[in-house]
Amino acid sequence: MLNLIVLVSGRGSNLQALISAIEDGRLNARILAVVSNRPEAPALDRARRAGLDTVVIDHRRYPERAAFDDALRIVLEGLETNPGPGRCLIVLAGFMRVLSMELVRRFQGRMINIHPSLLPAYPGLNTHARMLAAGDREHGASVHFVTPAVDGGPVIAQARLRVEPADTPESLAERLLPLEHRLLSAVVALCTDPSVELRDEHIYIDDRPLGRPLVLDRDLPGL
Ligand code: GRF
């Protein structure tokens, strides 16, 4: 059994995908708590409707980044030390805060993030618009282990999407979202296998280094 701690900031559709996969029995995991840096995040309503514990650490109440990170660290450590059977995985699912190097190092190897681009292309914000402006023909989403480099950690798996001539940032975001949901659930399912590991910023599966990211529906089955 994999114990998930899901960090959110907004809408929470990726959180919902995990909730649904667990409820349907497709994903052998449980969500220990949903943690948000925004008290108004709709993701918190989704969590409460699903009967999950929620924790709010409003970043606006912390004058300095370090103080927020400290509060988050204490919450995560508390959740991790009391999980019952199984390992813990921290899932950043639309969590829009940059975390300090100290915090990331503390949880490195058991913290993943979903990002709406084919990393290493387009870290940061506004990925759809930047990709269109560059004229790329292929877009996608990545799930990666979190390391101190923002959106720069080793990528576990990606979902790919062909760009159509009529695409806009909005249409791309809409078409990519269902793929993100399937990708995140599939990677979390993969991580239920303890042989999926991060060693020195390199991914190993069954003791073999992962040379390049898995591709959803090719190397990694959707749930
Ligand atoms: C997703 O596009 C995710 O890739 C990005 O933020 C968005 C969150 O959406 N990091 P939601 O809150 O899961 O609906």
Side-chain angles (χ1 to χ4, degrees), residues 1-8 12-24 27-36 43-44 46-55 79-80 82-85 87-91 93 184-185 188:
M1 171 73 71
L2 188 61
N3 299 293
L4 306 178
I5 303 167
V6 186
L7 272 55
V8 296
S13 68
N14 280 287
L15 165 68
Q16 187 63 56
L18 295 176
I19 293 172
S20 301
I22 292 169
E23 284 179 352
D24 299 350
L27 178 59
N28 183 24
R30 63 176 171 157
I31 298 177
L32 293 179
V34 174
V35 181
S36 176
L44 289 169
R46 295 183 193 263
R48 290 183 193 116
R49 275 201 299 275
L52 298 172
D53 286 345
T54 59
V55 181
L79 289 166
E80 272 198 335
N82 199 12
R87 294 171 309 117
C88 262
L89 183 70
I90 300 166
V91 182
L184 183 62
S185 306
V188 172

Side-chain angles (χ1 to χ4, degrees), residues 1-4 6 14 17-22 25-31 87-91 112 114 143 145 156-157 180-197 205-206 214 216 219-223:
M1 171 73 71
L2 188 61
N3 299 293
L4 306 178
V6 186
N14 280 287
L18 295 176
I19 293 172
S20 301
I22 292 169
R26 287 174 287 134
L27 178 59
N28 183 24
R30 63 176 171 157
I31 298 177
R87 294 171 309 117
C88 262
L89 183 70
I90 300 166
V91 182
I112 63 172
I114 181 153
V143 175
F145 278 108
I156 307 166
E180 286 189 37
H181 298 161
R182 294 183 57 240
L183 176 69
L184 183 62
S185 306
V187 172
V188 172
L190 181 74
C191 291
T192 59
D193 176 351
S195 84
V196 179
E197 291 175 274
I205 300 180
D206 282 333
L214 303 170
L216 183 68
D219 318 309
L220 179 68
L223 294 190

Side-chain angles (χ1 to χ4, degrees), residues 84-152:
R87 294 171 309 117
C88 262
L89 183 70
I90 300 166
V91 182
L92 276 53
F95 183 69
M96 303 304 285
R97 297 285 296 173
V98 172
L99 300 172
S100 67
M101 184 192 297
E102 293 72 29
L103 187 77
V104 170
R105 290 275 187 233
R106 173 75 183 77
F107 299 100
Q108 191 163 304
R110 49 194 199 282
M111 184 183 267
I112 63 172
N113 178 47
I114 181 153
H115 181 78
S117 79
L118 293 174
L119 292 170
Y122 311 112
L125 299 175
N126 304 319
T127 56
H128 312 306
R130 287 158 60 209
M131 190 278 314
L132 277 178
D136 294 3
R137 303 315 310 157
E138 196 179 37
H139 192 36
S142 307
V143 175
H144 64 94
F145 278 108
V146 177
T147 61
V150 176
D151 299 327

